Amino acid sequence: MELSIDTASDWASVALSHEGHLLGEVTWRCHREHSTQLMPMVETLLSRLRVDKGELSAVFVCTGPGSYAALRVGVSTAKGLAFALGIPIVGVGRLEIEAYQYAACGRPVCALHRAGRGEIAWAVYQGPKAEWREVAPPRLSPPEEVMAQLPAGTLLCGEEDDALEALLLEGGVEPVKSAVAPSRRRADHLAELGWRRLAAGQADDVRTLVPMYLREPAIGPQRQG
């Protein structure tokens, strides 16, 4: 069985799967308390399904982009479990997980979310699942540049966010509420993508796997008093 962990935003999600097929999942509003809520929720899910940690065969983790602190908690927890249990780890990007929910829509899918400083984090993918591929890699852009670069007929998806809707409206998407397909980046989609990569021999190195930050944290060395 595989454990999937997603802590890229205020919505956190954990799931158990067997060869990518969902066995159980919990998604909850974490309110940036990932460090105190993540492991208890993992323990709850394992207990509910009567699974011992020793039965896990892989860990899949969302690598971002997203909240710096939240991502560090999720990735560090996943790496710790993989190292302690001696099992493989696979990282999958947040934008790909969001877009994968709409792989069967028959057109390009642009996953996006608000990234601060008036910019949007976005990437474009296209299905179907058997031919799933990245069309445009994750990047940061002002909303008007995003709209200008999207292929015709692209489906927009991402977490529902009033500030994101306002940014998209500025970029020419109207009406916004009917243009953005909702997404919670649920861990069951992470489980499916993670298993596909693991089965293809694309596991990550537990020593070098790091979160995906499209922008460096706005912090630096402490100044001397």
Side-chain angles (χ1 to χ4, degrees):
M1 280 173 284
E2 311 93 32
L3 173 67
S4 294
I5 297 174
D6 175 5
T7 61
S9 75
D10 286 353
W11 286 98
S13 187
V14 294
L16 278 173
S17 58
H18 177 257
E19 296 185 353
H21 298 288
L22 185 68
L23 299 176
E25 176 198 17
V26 180
T27 297
W28 75 103
R29 193 68 179 266
C30 203
H31 296 292
R32 301 192 179 188
E33 296 183 8
H34 303 77
S35 61
T36 59
Q37 295 184 11
L38 177 58
M39 277 309 299
M41 198 63 74
V42 169
E43 297 285 358
T44 297
L45 181 61
L46 291 171
S47 175
R48 182 183 301 171
L49 296 177
R50 299 181 181 179
V51 174
D52 184 81
K53 286 192 185 76
E55 298 178 69
L56 297 176
S57 58
V59 180
F60 307 143
V61 62
C62 176
T63 56
S67 166
Y68 295 114
L71 284 174
R72 284 196 296 271
V73 171
V75 173
S76 297
T77 300
K79 292 176 66 170
L81 287 170
F83 182 81
L85 297 173
I87 56 178
I89 187 170
V90 177
V92 183
R94 167 185 181 175
L95 297 169
E96 183 174 4
I97 297 168
E98 290 179 329
Y100 193 69
Q101 300 178 50
Y102 301 96
C105 74
R107 50 190 173 129
V109 182
C110 175
L112 41 77
H113 65 85
R114 185 167 51 93
R117 305 182 191 177
E119 292 184 312
I120 289 174
W122 65 286
V124 181
Y125 303 86
Q126 188 156 3
K129 289 183 178 181
E131 302 172 8
W132 184 247
R133 66 188 187 278
E134 181 181 84
V135 176
R139 68 190 75 179
L140 294 175
S141 302
E144 61 274 11
E145 291 185 12
V146 177
M147 298 304 114
Q149 296 181 57
L150 293 182
T154 298
L155 171 72
L156 303 182
C157 69
E159 284 190 17
E160 297 171 279
D161 183 312
D162 290 341
L164 172 61
E165 292 177 350
L167 282 173
L168 291 174
L169 184 59
E170 293 174 7
V173 179
E174 187 177 6
V176 174
K177 288 187 180 299
S178 65
V180 181
S183 170
R184 284 286 182 265
R185 300 172 294 90
R186 302 174 71 91
D188 54 338
H189 301 286
L190 169 58
E192 186 174 347
L193 282 166
W195 172 255
R196 289 181 58 172
R197 293 189 183 178
L198 182 64
Q202 299 173 355
D204 289 287
D205 188 329
V206 69
R207 299 167 298 179
T208 59
L209 180 66
V210 294
M212 177 192 300
Y213 296 138
L214 296 180
R215 179 190 295 125
E216 291 298 318
I219 58 175
Q222 293 282 335
R223 290 187 177 182
Q224 296 296 324

